[in-house]
PDB file of all heavy atoms in Angstrom:
ATOM      1  N   ILE A 144      -3.424  21.768  -3.376  1.00 98.00           N
ATOM      2  CA  ILE A 144      -4.600  20.878  -3.245  1.00 98.00           C
ATOM      3  C   ILE A 144      -5.179  20.655  -4.645  1.00 98.00           C
ATOM      4  O   ILE A 144      -5.494  21.611  -5.348  1.00 98.00           O
ATOM      5  CB  ILE A 144      -5.649  21.508  -2.309  1.00 98.00           C
ATOM      6  CG1 ILE A 144      -5.017  21.786  -0.942  1.00 98.00           C
ATOM      7  CG2 ILE A 144      -6.868  20.589  -2.166  1.00 98.00           C
ATOM      8  CD1 ILE A 144      -5.956  22.430   0.067  1.00 98.00           C
ATOM      9  N   THR A 145      -5.295  19.386  -5.022  1.00 98.00           N
ATOM     10  CA  THR A 145      -5.635  19.073  -6.419  1.00 98.00           C
ATOM     11  C   THR A 145      -6.886  18.195  -6.528  1.00 98.00           C
ATOM     12  O   THR A 145      -7.195  17.431  -5.612  1.00 98.00           O
ATOM     13  CB  THR A 145      -4.445  18.344  -7.091  1.00 98.00           C
ATOM     14  OG1 THR A 145      -4.038  17.263  -6.244  1.00 98.00           O
ATOM     15  CG2 THR A 145      -3.278  19.294  -7.286  1.00 98.00           C
ATOM     16  N   PRO A 146      -7.592  18.278  -7.673  1.00 98.00           N
ATOM     17  CA  PRO A 146      -8.804  17.485  -7.880  1.00 98.00           C
ATOM     18  C   PRO A 146      -8.507  16.170  -8.613  1.00 98.00           C
ATOM     19  O   PRO A 146      -7.351  15.863  -8.893  1.00 98.00           O
ATOM     20  CB  PRO A 146      -9.648  18.408  -8.756  1.00 98.00           C
ATOM     21  CG  PRO A 146      -8.650  19.107  -9.613  1.00 98.00           C
ATOM     22  CD  PRO A 146      -7.374  19.225  -8.794  1.00 98.00           C
ATOM     23  N   TRP A 147      -9.566  15.445  -8.964  1.00 98.00           N
ATOM     24  CA  TRP A 147      -9.397  14.101  -9.519  1.00 98.00           C
ATOM     25  C   TRP A 147      -9.424  14.045 -11.039  1.00 98.00           C
ATOM     26  O   TRP A 147      -9.218  12.992 -11.615  1.00 98.00           O
ATOM     27  CB  TRP A 147     -10.507  13.172  -8.983  1.00 98.00           C
ATOM     28  CG  TRP A 147     -11.885  13.761  -9.046  1.00 98.00           C
ATOM     29  CD1 TRP A 147     -12.579  14.310  -8.007  1.00 98.00           C
ATOM     30  CD2 TRP A 147     -12.738  13.883 -10.183  1.00 98.00           C
ATOM     31  NE1 TRP A 147     -13.803  14.780  -8.433  1.00 98.00           N
ATOM     32  CE2 TRP A 147     -13.924  14.521  -9.765  1.00 98.00           C
ATOM     33  CE3 TRP A 147     -12.619  13.523 -11.526  1.00 98.00           C
ATOM     34  CZ2 TRP A 147     -14.985  14.811 -10.636  1.00 98.00           C
ATOM     35  CZ3 TRP A 147     -13.663  13.814 -12.393  1.00 98.00           C
ATOM     36  CH2 TRP A 147     -14.822  14.449 -11.944  1.00 98.00           C
ATOM     37  N   ASN A 148      -9.711  15.141 -11.727  1.00 98.00           N
ATOM     38  CA  ASN A 148      -9.909  15.008 -13.179  1.00 98.00           C
ATOM     39  C   ASN A 148      -8.598  14.930 -13.961  1.00 98.00           C
ATOM     40  O   ASN A 148      -8.457  14.143 -14.889  1.00 98.00           O
ATOM     41  CB  ASN A 148     -10.829  16.095 -13.724  1.00 98.00           C
ATOM     42  CG  ASN A 148     -10.329  17.491 -13.467  1.00 98.00           C
ATOM     43  OD1 ASN A 148      -9.515  17.722 -12.574  1.00 98.00           O
ATOM     44  ND2 ASN A 148     -10.804  18.441 -14.249  1.00 98.00           N
ATOM     45  N   LEU A 153      -2.367  18.795 -12.801  1.00 98.00           N
ATOM     46  CA  LEU A 153      -2.680  19.885 -11.869  1.00 98.00           C
ATOM     47  C   LEU A 153      -1.732  19.877 -10.669  1.00 98.00           C
ATOM     48  O   LEU A 153      -1.478  20.926 -10.063  1.00 98.00           O
ATOM     49  CB  LEU A 153      -4.152  19.803 -11.460  1.00 98.00           C
ATOM     50  CG  LEU A 153      -5.065  19.992 -12.686  1.00 98.00           C
ATOM     51  CD1 LEU A 153      -6.505  19.607 -12.384  1.00 98.00           C
ATOM     52  CD2 LEU A 153      -4.999  21.413 -13.214  1.00 98.00           C
ATOM     53  N   LYS A 171      -1.815  17.811  -1.242  1.00 98.00           N
ATOM     54  CA  LYS A 171      -2.934  16.914  -0.927  1.00 98.00           C
ATOM     55  C   LYS A 171      -3.749  16.640  -2.189  1.00 98.00           C
ATOM     56  O   LYS A 171      -4.491  17.498  -2.650  1.00 98.00           O
ATOM     57  CB  LYS A 171      -3.854  17.517   0.145  1.00 98.00           C
ATOM     58  CG  LYS A 171      -4.789  16.425   0.680  1.00 98.00           C
ATOM     59  CD  LYS A 171      -6.165  16.906   1.057  1.00 98.00           C
ATOM     60  CE  LYS A 171      -7.275  16.650   0.102  1.00 98.00           C
ATOM     61  NZ  LYS A 171      -7.579  15.317  -0.352  1.00 98.00           N
ATOM     62  N   PRO A 172      -3.596  15.461  -2.764  1.00 98.00           N
ATOM     63  CA  PRO A 172      -4.407  15.125  -3.940  1.00 98.00           C
ATOM     64  C   PRO A 172      -5.829  14.730  -3.542  1.00 98.00           C
ATOM     65  O   PRO A 172      -6.107  14.495  -2.359  1.00 98.00           O
ATOM     66  CB  PRO A 172      -3.668  13.932  -4.548  1.00 98.00           C
ATOM     67  CG  PRO A 172      -2.836  13.362  -3.467  1.00 98.00           C
ATOM     68  CD  PRO A 172      -2.674  14.385  -2.371  1.00 98.00           C
ATOM     69  N   ALA A 173      -6.720  14.646  -4.532  1.00 98.00           N
ATOM     70  CA  ALA A 173      -8.094  14.200  -4.271  1.00 98.00           C
ATOM     71  C   ALA A 173      -8.060  12.806  -3.654  1.00 98.00           C
ATOM     72  O   ALA A 173      -7.209  11.985  -4.025  1.00 98.00           O
ATOM     73  CB  ALA A 173      -8.885  14.179  -5.570  1.00 98.00           C
ATOM     74  N   SER A 174      -9.006  12.531  -2.761  1.00 97.00           N
ATOM     75  CA  SER A 174      -8.919  11.236  -2.080  1.00 97.00           C
ATOM     76  C   SER A 174      -9.325  10.081  -2.990  1.00 97.00           C
ATOM     77  O   SER A 174      -9.064   8.927  -2.655  1.00 97.00           O
ATOM     78  CB  SER A 174      -9.732  11.240  -0.790  1.00 97.00           C
ATOM     79  OG  SER A 174     -10.932  11.901  -0.972  1.00 97.00           O
ATOM     80  N   THR A 175      -9.926  10.368  -4.156  1.00 98.00           N
ATOM     81  CA  THR A 175     -10.251   9.277  -5.085  1.00 98.00           C
ATOM     82  C   THR A 175      -9.138   9.043  -6.111  1.00 98.00           C
ATOM     83  O   THR A 175      -9.200   8.064  -6.853  1.00 98.00           O
ATOM     84  CB  THR A 175     -11.582   9.561  -5.819  1.00 98.00           C
ATOM     85  OG1 THR A 175     -11.496  10.870  -6.406  1.00 98.00           O
ATOM     86  CG2 THR A 175     -12.765   9.500  -4.873  1.00 98.00           C
ATOM     87  N   GLY A 202      -6.129  11.862   2.379  1.00 96.00           N
ATOM     88  CA  GLY A 202      -7.275  11.812   3.281  1.00 96.00           C
ATOM     89  C   GLY A 202      -8.368  12.739   2.796  1.00 96.00           C
ATOM     90  O   GLY A 202      -8.294  13.290   1.691  1.00 96.00           O
ATOM     91  N   SER A 203      -9.373  12.913   3.643  1.00 95.00           N
ATOM     92  CA  SER A 203     -10.552  13.666   3.246  1.00 95.00           C
ATOM     93  C   SER A 203     -10.284  15.170   3.213  1.00 95.00           C
ATOM     94  O   SER A 203      -9.691  15.736   4.133  1.00 95.00           O
ATOM     95  CB  SER A 203     -11.675  13.342   4.238  1.00 95.00           C
ATOM     96  OG  SER A 203     -12.414  14.497   4.524  1.00 95.00           O
ATOM     97  N   GLY A 204     -10.770  15.803   2.133  1.00 96.00           N
ATOM     98  CA  GLY A 204     -10.590  17.249   1.993  1.00 96.00           C
ATOM     99  C   GLY A 204     -11.204  18.006   3.156  1.00 96.00           C
ATOM    100  O   GLY A 204     -10.623  18.965   3.673  1.00 96.00           O
ATOM    101  N   ALA A 205     -12.400  17.561   3.571  1.00 93.00           N
ATOM    102  CA  ALA A 205     -13.094  18.286   4.638  1.00 93.00           C
ATOM    103  C   ALA A 205     -12.307  18.222   5.944  1.00 93.00           C
ATOM    104  O   ALA A 205     -12.378  19.144   6.758  1.00 93.00           O
ATOM    105  CB  ALA A 205     -14.482  17.688   4.826  1.00 93.00           C
ATOM    106  N   GLY A 208      -7.815  18.653   4.482  1.00 95.00           N
ATOM    107  CA  GLY A 208      -7.704  19.803   3.566  1.00 95.00           C
ATOM    108  C   GLY A 208      -7.976  21.090   4.323  1.00 95.00           C
ATOM    109  O   GLY A 208      -7.221  22.064   4.249  1.00 95.00           O
ATOM    110  N   ASP A 209      -9.061  21.075   5.077  1.00 96.00           N
ATOM    111  CA  ASP A 209      -9.426  22.225   5.916  1.00 96.00           C
ATOM    112  C   ASP A 209      -8.288  22.589   6.872  1.00 96.00           C
ATOM    113  O   ASP A 209      -7.894  23.747   6.980  1.00 96.00           O
ATOM    114  CB  ASP A 209     -10.638  21.831   6.780  1.00 96.00           C
ATOM    115  CG  ASP A 209     -11.878  22.607   6.409  1.00 96.00           C
ATOM    116  OD1 ASP A 209     -12.191  22.664   5.211  1.00 96.00           O
ATOM    117  OD2 ASP A 209     -12.508  23.154   7.336  1.00 96.00           O
ATOM    118  N   VAL A 212      -5.319  24.174   5.080  1.00 98.00           N
ATOM    119  CA  VAL A 212      -5.537  25.553   4.612  1.00 98.00           C
ATOM    120  C   VAL A 212      -5.457  26.543   5.768  1.00 98.00           C
ATOM    121  O   VAL A 212      -4.926  27.641   5.623  1.00 98.00           O
ATOM    122  CB  VAL A 212      -6.907  25.656   3.902  1.00 98.00           C
ATOM    123  CG1 VAL A 212      -7.258  27.104   3.603  1.00 98.00           C
ATOM    124  CG2 VAL A 212      -6.908  24.827   2.625  1.00 98.00           C
ATOM    125  N   PHE A 222      -4.878  26.036  -5.141  1.00 98.00           N
ATOM    126  CA  PHE A 222      -6.012  25.113  -5.152  1.00 98.00           C
ATOM    127  C   PHE A 222      -6.622  24.998  -6.544  1.00 98.00           C
ATOM    128  O   PHE A 222      -6.826  26.001  -7.220  1.00 98.00           O
ATOM    129  CB  PHE A 222      -7.093  25.610  -4.182  1.00 98.00           C
ATOM    130  CG  PHE A 222      -8.385  24.845  -4.272  1.00 98.00           C
ATOM    131  CD1 PHE A 222      -8.503  23.580  -3.707  1.00 98.00           C
ATOM    132  CD2 PHE A 222      -9.484  25.375  -4.929  1.00 98.00           C
ATOM    133  CE1 PHE A 222      -9.694  22.855  -3.809  1.00 98.00           C
ATOM    134  CE2 PHE A 222     -10.683  24.665  -5.036  1.00 98.00           C
ATOM    135  CZ  PHE A 222     -10.780  23.398  -4.464  1.00 98.00           C
ATOM    136  N   THR A 223      -6.946  23.781  -6.944  1.00 98.00           N
ATOM    137  CA  THR A 223      -7.798  23.566  -8.119  1.00 98.00           C
ATOM    138  C   THR A 223      -8.945  22.666  -7.700  1.00 98.00           C
ATOM    139  O   THR A 223      -8.717  21.613  -7.089  1.00 98.00           O
ATOM    140  CB  THR A 223      -7.019  22.894  -9.270  1.00 98.00           C
ATOM    141  OG1 THR A 223      -5.927  23.720  -9.636  1.00 98.00           O
ATOM    142  CG2 THR A 223      -7.922  22.716 -10.493  1.00 98.00           C
ATOM    143  N   GLY A 224     -10.151  23.089  -8.037  1.00 98.00           N
ATOM    144  CA  GLY A 224     -11.318  22.283  -7.693  1.00 98.00           C
ATOM    145  C   GLY A 224     -12.591  23.068  -7.924  1.00 98.00           C
ATOM    146  O   GLY A 224     -12.604  24.056  -8.669  1.00 98.00           O
ATOM    147  N   GLN A 225     -13.652  22.636  -7.274  1.00 98.00           N
ATOM    148  CA  GLN A 225     -14.948  23.265  -7.482  1.00 98.00           C
ATOM    149  C   GLN A 225     -14.997  24.682  -6.902  1.00 98.00           C
ATOM    150  O   GLN A 225     -14.352  24.965  -5.898  1.00 98.00           O
ATOM    151  CB  GLN A 225     -16.032  22.444  -6.793  1.00 98.00           C
ATOM    152  CG  GLN A 225     -16.208  21.071  -7.382  1.00 98.00           C
ATOM    153  CD  GLN A 225     -17.287  20.290  -6.650  1.00 98.00           C
ATOM    154  OE1 GLN A 225     -18.274  20.850  -6.196  1.00 98.00           O
ATOM    155  NE2 GLN A 225     -17.092  19.005  -6.528  1.00 98.00           N
ATOM    156  N   THR A 228     -15.866  24.755  -3.168  1.00 98.00           N
ATOM    157  CA  THR A 228     -14.729  24.453  -2.288  1.00 98.00           C
ATOM    158  C   THR A 228     -13.778  25.647  -2.259  1.00 98.00           C
ATOM    159  O   THR A 228     -13.231  25.997  -1.207  1.00 98.00           O
ATOM    160  CB  THR A 228     -13.978  23.195  -2.776  1.00 98.00           C
ATOM    161  OG1 THR A 228     -14.915  22.208  -3.152  1.00 98.00           O
ATOM    162  CG2 THR A 228     -13.064  22.643  -1.709  1.00 98.00           C
ATOM    163  N   ARG A 231     -14.853  28.222   0.168  1.00 97.00           N
ATOM    164  CA  ARG A 231     -14.551  27.828   1.561  1.00 97.00           C
ATOM    165  C   ARG A 231     -13.062  28.046   1.849  1.00 97.00           C
ATOM    166  O   ARG A 231     -12.691  28.549   2.906  1.00 97.00           O
ATOM    167  CB  ARG A 231     -14.949  26.358   1.772  1.00 97.00           C
ATOM    168  CG  ARG A 231     -14.433  25.785   3.069  1.00 97.00           C
ATOM    169  CD  ARG A 231     -15.387  24.828   3.745  1.00 97.00           C
ATOM    170  NE  ARG A 231     -14.867  24.417   5.051  1.00 97.00           N
ATOM    171  CZ  ARG A 231     -15.095  25.055   6.179  1.00 97.00           C
ATOM    172  NH1 ARG A 231     -15.844  26.134   6.183  1.00 97.00           N
ATOM    173  NH2 ARG A 231     -14.589  24.621   7.319  1.00 97.00           N
ATOM    174  N   ILE A 232     -12.231  27.674   0.901  1.00 98.00           N
ATOM    175  CA  ILE A 232     -10.781  27.817   1.091  1.00 98.00           C
ATOM    176  C   ILE A 232     -10.416  29.294   1.260  1.00 98.00           C
ATOM    177  O   ILE A 232      -9.605  29.651   2.117  1.00 98.00           O
ATOM    178  CB  ILE A 232     -10.035  27.151  -0.083  1.00 98.00           C
ATOM    179  CG1 ILE A 232     -10.085  25.638   0.143  1.00 98.00           C
ATOM    180  CG2 ILE A 232      -8.603  27.660  -0.221  1.00 98.00           C
ATOM    181  CD1 ILE A 232      -9.483  24.802  -0.900  1.00 98.00           C
ATOM    182  N   LEU A 235     -11.316  30.241   4.789  1.00 97.00           N
ATOM    183  CA  LEU A 235     -10.396  29.672   5.780  1.00 97.00           C
ATOM    184  C   LEU A 235      -9.035  30.361   5.722  1.00 97.00           C
ATOM    185  O   LEU A 235      -8.410  30.635   6.750  1.00 97.00           O
ATOM    186  CB  LEU A 235     -10.201  28.167   5.535  1.00 97.00           C
ATOM    187  CG  LEU A 235     -11.409  27.264   5.739  1.00 97.00           C
ATOM    188  CD1 LEU A 235     -11.058  25.839   5.325  1.00 97.00           C
ATOM    189  CD2 LEU A 235     -11.855  27.286   7.199  1.00 97.00           C
ATOM    190  N   GLU A 246      -8.045  27.965  -8.898  1.00 98.00           N
ATOM    191  CA  GLU A 246      -8.423  27.534 -10.250  1.00 98.00           C
ATOM    192  C   GLU A 246      -9.703  26.737 -10.096  1.00 98.00           C
ATOM    193  O   GLU A 246      -9.684  25.594  -9.651  1.00 98.00           O
ATOM    194  CB  GLU A 246      -7.317  26.661 -10.866  1.00 98.00           C
ATOM    195  CG  GLU A 246      -5.978  27.356 -11.046  1.00 98.00           C
ATOM    196  CD  GLU A 246      -6.001  28.433 -12.120  1.00 98.00           C
ATOM    197  OE1 GLU A 246      -7.000  28.546 -12.863  1.00 98.00           O
ATOM    198  OE2 GLU A 246      -5.018  29.185 -12.209  1.00 98.00           O
ATOM    199  N   LEU A 247     -10.832  27.349 -10.445  1.00 98.00           N
ATOM    200  CA  LEU A 247     -12.131  26.769 -10.073  1.00 98.00           C
ATOM    201  C   LEU A 247     -12.921  26.302 -11.302  1.00 98.00           C
ATOM    202  O   LEU A 247     -12.354  26.073 -12.357  1.00 98.00           O
ATOM    203  CB  LEU A 247     -12.903  27.800  -9.252  1.00 98.00           C
ATOM    204  CG  LEU A 247     -12.095  28.407  -8.082  1.00 98.00           C
ATOM    205  CD1 LEU A 247     -12.907  29.456  -7.340  1.00 98.00           C
ATOM    206  CD2 LEU A 247     -11.611  27.320  -7.131  1.00 98.00           C
ATOM    207  N   GLY A 248     -14.212  26.188 -11.140  1.00 98.00           N
ATOM    208  CA  GLY A 248     -15.041  25.626 -12.197  1.00 98.00           C
ATOM    209  C   GLY A 248     -15.126  26.528 -13.420  1.00 98.00           C
ATOM    210  O   GLY A 248     -14.697  27.679 -13.406  1.00 98.00           O
ATOM    211  N   GLY A 249     -15.702  25.967 -14.480  1.00 98.00           N
ATOM    212  CA  GLY A 249     -15.860  26.738 -15.708  1.00 98.00           C
ATOM    213  C   GLY A 249     -17.092  26.285 -16.465  1.00 98.00           C
ATOM    214  O   GLY A 249     -17.642  25.200 -16.202  1.00 98.00           O
ATOM    215  N   CYS A 280     -11.858  21.216 -16.755  1.00 96.00           N
ATOM    216  CA  CYS A 280     -12.258  22.597 -16.466  1.00 96.00           C
ATOM    217  C   CYS A 280     -12.389  23.368 -17.760  1.00 96.00           C
ATOM    218  O   CYS A 280     -13.278  24.196 -17.915  1.00 96.00           O
ATOM    219  CB  CYS A 280     -11.242  23.250 -15.533  1.00 96.00           C
ATOM    220  SG  CYS A 280      -9.557  23.187 -16.144  1.00 96.00           S
ATOM    221  N   LYS A 284     -18.376  23.766 -22.886  1.00 98.00           N
ATOM    222  CA  LYS A 284     -19.578  23.393 -22.127  1.00 98.00           C
ATOM    223  C   LYS A 284     -20.856  24.037 -22.642  1.00 98.00           C
ATOM    224  O   LYS A 284     -21.956  23.626 -22.286  1.00 98.00           O
ATOM    225  CB  LYS A 284     -19.361  23.692 -20.640  1.00 98.00           C
ATOM    226  CG  LYS A 284     -18.255  22.782 -20.061  1.00 98.00           C
ATOM    227  CD  LYS A 284     -18.039  22.951 -18.588  1.00 98.00           C
ATOM    228  CE  LYS A 284     -16.873  22.067 -18.145  1.00 98.00           C
ATOM    229  NZ  LYS A 284     -15.977  22.672 -17.222  1.00 98.00           N
ATOM    230  N   GLU A 382     -22.137  24.406 -14.237  1.00 98.00           N
ATOM    231  CA  GLU A 382     -21.042  23.694 -14.876  1.00 98.00           C
ATOM    232  C   GLU A 382     -21.498  22.252 -15.129  1.00 98.00           C
ATOM    233  O   GLU A 382     -22.002  21.602 -14.221  1.00 98.00           O
ATOM    234  CB  GLU A 382     -19.802  23.687 -13.972  1.00 98.00           C
ATOM    235  CG  GLU A 382     -18.669  22.864 -14.569  1.00 98.00           C
ATOM    236  CD  GLU A 382     -17.378  22.901 -13.749  1.00 98.00           C
ATOM    237  OE1 GLU A 382     -17.449  22.878 -12.517  1.00 98.00           O
ATOM    238  OE2 GLU A 382     -16.308  22.951 -14.377  1.00 98.00           O
ATOM    239  N   PHE A 384     -20.075  18.795 -15.785  1.00 98.00           N
ATOM    240  CA  PHE A 384     -18.776  18.128 -15.693  1.00 98.00           C
ATOM    241  C   PHE A 384     -18.906  16.686 -16.167  1.00 98.00           C
ATOM    242  O   PHE A 384     -18.733  15.734 -15.402  1.00 98.00           O
ATOM    243  CB  PHE A 384     -18.279  18.210 -14.245  1.00 98.00           C
ATOM    244  CG  PHE A 384     -16.790  18.398 -14.138  1.00 98.00           C
ATOM    245  CD1 PHE A 384     -16.157  19.459 -14.757  1.00 98.00           C
ATOM    246  CD2 PHE A 384     -16.007  17.514 -13.393  1.00 98.00           C
ATOM    247  CE1 PHE A 384     -14.786  19.638 -14.663  1.00 98.00           C
ATOM    248  CE2 PHE A 384     -14.638  17.684 -13.289  1.00 98.00           C
ATOM    249  CZ  PHE A 384     -14.029  18.747 -13.934  1.00 98.00           C
ATOM    250  N   LEU A 410     -13.711  30.925 -17.409  1.00 98.00           N
ATOM    251  CA  LEU A 410     -12.408  30.252 -17.502  1.00 98.00           C
ATOM    252  C   LEU A 410     -11.874  30.330 -18.933  1.00 98.00           C
ATOM    253  O   LEU A 410     -11.092  31.208 -19.265  1.00 98.00           O
ATOM    254  CB  LEU A 410     -12.549  28.813 -17.016  1.00 98.00           C
ATOM    255  CG  LEU A 410     -11.244  28.068 -16.712  1.00 98.00           C
ATOM    256  CD1 LEU A 410     -10.414  28.810 -15.703  1.00 98.00           C
ATOM    257  CD2 LEU A 410     -11.533  26.666 -16.207  1.00 98.00           C
ATOM    258  N   PHE A 448      -2.489  30.835 -17.521  1.00 97.00           N
ATOM    259  CA  PHE A 448      -3.812  30.206 -17.520  1.00 97.00           C
ATOM    260  C   PHE A 448      -4.495  30.492 -16.189  1.00 97.00           C
ATOM    261  O   PHE A 448      -3.886  30.348 -15.127  1.00 97.00           O
ATOM    262  CB  PHE A 448      -3.640  28.685 -17.696  1.00 97.00           C
ATOM    263  CG  PHE A 448      -4.890  27.918 -17.414  1.00 97.00           C
ATOM    264  CD1 PHE A 448      -5.848  27.760 -18.394  1.00 97.00           C
ATOM    265  CD2 PHE A 448      -5.119  27.380 -16.153  1.00 97.00           C
ATOM    266  CE1 PHE A 448      -7.010  27.071 -18.130  1.00 97.00           C
ATOM    267  CE2 PHE A 448      -6.285  26.684 -15.884  1.00 97.00           C
ATOM    268  CZ  PHE A 448      -7.234  26.533 -16.875  1.00 97.00           C
ATOM    269  N   SER A 454     -14.566  31.663 -11.750  1.00 98.00           N
ATOM    270  CA  SER A 454     -13.591  30.615 -12.108  1.00 98.00           C
ATOM    271  C   SER A 454     -12.285  30.802 -11.358  1.00 98.00           C
ATOM    272  O   SER A 454     -11.358  30.008 -11.530  1.00 98.00           O
ATOM    273  CB  SER A 454     -13.352  30.609 -13.622  1.00 98.00           C
ATOM    274  OG  SER A 454     -14.495  30.127 -14.289  1.00 98.00           O
TER     275      SER A 454
HETATM  276  P1  LIG B 501     -13.325  19.504  -5.186  1.00 87.89           P
HETATM  277  O1  LIG B 501     -13.407  20.957  -4.917  1.00 87.89           O
HETATM  278  O2  LIG B 501     -14.389  18.626  -4.668  1.00 87.89           O
HETATM  279  O3  LIG B 501     -11.964  18.890  -4.634  1.00 87.89           O
HETATM  280  C1  LIG B 501     -10.713  19.396  -5.009  1.00 87.89           C
HETATM  281  C2  LIG B 501      -9.704  19.107  -3.908  1.00 87.89           C
HETATM  282  O4  LIG B 501     -10.052  19.848  -2.740  1.00 87.89           O
HETATM  283  C3  LIG B 501      -9.655  17.649  -3.468  1.00 87.89           C
HETATM  284  O5  LIG B 501      -8.327  17.311  -3.128  1.00 87.89           O
HETATM  285  C4  LIG B 501     -10.538  17.662  -2.231  1.00 87.89           C
HETATM  286  O6  LIG B 501     -10.267  16.589  -1.353  1.00 87.89           O
HETATM  287  C5  LIG B 501     -10.126  18.977  -1.628  1.00 87.89           C
HETATM  288  N1  LIG B 501     -11.085  19.543  -0.667  1.00 87.89           N
HETATM  289  C6  LIG B 501     -12.400  19.306  -0.553  1.00 87.89           C
HETATM  290  N2  LIG B 501     -12.922  20.033   0.464  1.00 87.89           N
HETATM  291  C7  LIG B 501     -11.906  20.751   0.990  1.00 87.89           C
HETATM  292  C8  LIG B 501     -11.802  21.691   2.053  1.00 87.89           C
HETATM  293  N3  LIG B 501     -12.859  22.058   2.769  1.00 87.89           N
HETATM  294  N4  LIG B 501     -10.598  22.248   2.338  1.00 87.89           N
HETATM  295  C9  LIG B 501      -9.516  21.908   1.593  1.00 87.89           C
HETATM  296  N5  LIG B 501      -9.556  21.003   0.583  1.00 87.89           N
HETATM  297  C10 LIG B 501     -10.732  20.439   0.269  1.00 87.89           C
HETATM  298  O7  LIG B 501     -13.189  19.392  -6.772  1.00 87.89           O
HETATM  299  P2  LIG B 501     -13.281  18.086  -7.687  1.00 87.89           P
HETATM  300  O8  LIG B 501     -12.236  17.130  -7.223  1.00 87.89           O
HETATM  301  O9  LIG B 501     -14.694  17.651  -7.776  1.00 87.89           O
HETATM  302  O10 LIG B 501     -12.789  18.678  -9.094  1.00 87.89           O
HETATM  303  C11 LIG B 501     -13.632  19.096 -10.105  1.00 87.89           C
HETATM  304  C12 LIG B 501     -13.692  20.602 -10.177  1.00 87.89           C
HETATM  305  O11 LIG B 501     -12.393  21.136 -10.421  1.00 87.89           O
HETATM  306  C13 LIG B 501     -14.553  21.126 -11.313  1.00 87.89           C
HETATM  307  O12 LIG B 501     -15.365  22.171 -10.873  1.00 87.89           O
HETATM  308  C14 LIG B 501     -13.530  21.666 -12.313  1.00 87.89           C
HETATM  309  O13 LIG B 501     -14.043  22.640 -13.177  1.00 87.89           O
HETATM  310  C15 LIG B 501     -12.485  22.169 -11.406  1.00 87.89           C
HETATM  311  N6  LIG B 501     -11.225  22.288 -12.129  1.00 87.89           N
HETATM  312  C16 LIG B 501     -10.725  23.550 -12.377  1.00 87.89           C
HETATM  313  C17 LIG B 501      -9.564  23.710 -13.109  1.00 87.89           C
HETATM  314  C18 LIG B 501      -8.989  25.060 -13.333  1.00 87.89           C
HETATM  315  O14 LIG B 501      -7.809  25.127 -13.632  1.00 87.89           O
HETATM  316  N7  LIG B 501      -9.726  26.129 -13.201  1.00 87.89           N
HETATM  317  C19 LIG B 501      -8.859  22.553 -13.679  1.00 87.89           C
HETATM  318  C20 LIG B 501      -9.473  21.290 -13.352  1.00 87.89           C
HETATM  319  C21 LIG B 501     -10.609  21.184 -12.595  1.00 87.89           C
HETATM  320  P3  LIG B 501     -11.203  15.251  -1.395  1.00 87.89           P
HETATM  321  O15 LIG B 501     -10.993  14.636  -2.726  1.00 87.89           O
HETATM  322  O16 LIG B 501     -10.638  14.445  -0.295  1.00 87.89           O
HETATM  323  O17 LIG B 501     -12.610  15.710  -1.163  1.00 87.89           O
END
Side-chain angles (χ1 to χ4, degrees):
I144 303 179
T145 50
W147 47 259
N148 59 339
L153 297 167
K171 194 214 101 56
S174 41
T175 52
S203 141
D209 247 49
V212 171
F222 171 76
T223 301
Q225 295 179 35
T228 317
R231 169 143 185 89
I232 284 177
L235 294 175
E246 298 291 351
L247 310 178
C280 55
K284 294 184 183 138
E382 176 176 39
F384 217 56
L410 195 56
F448 167 84
S454 290

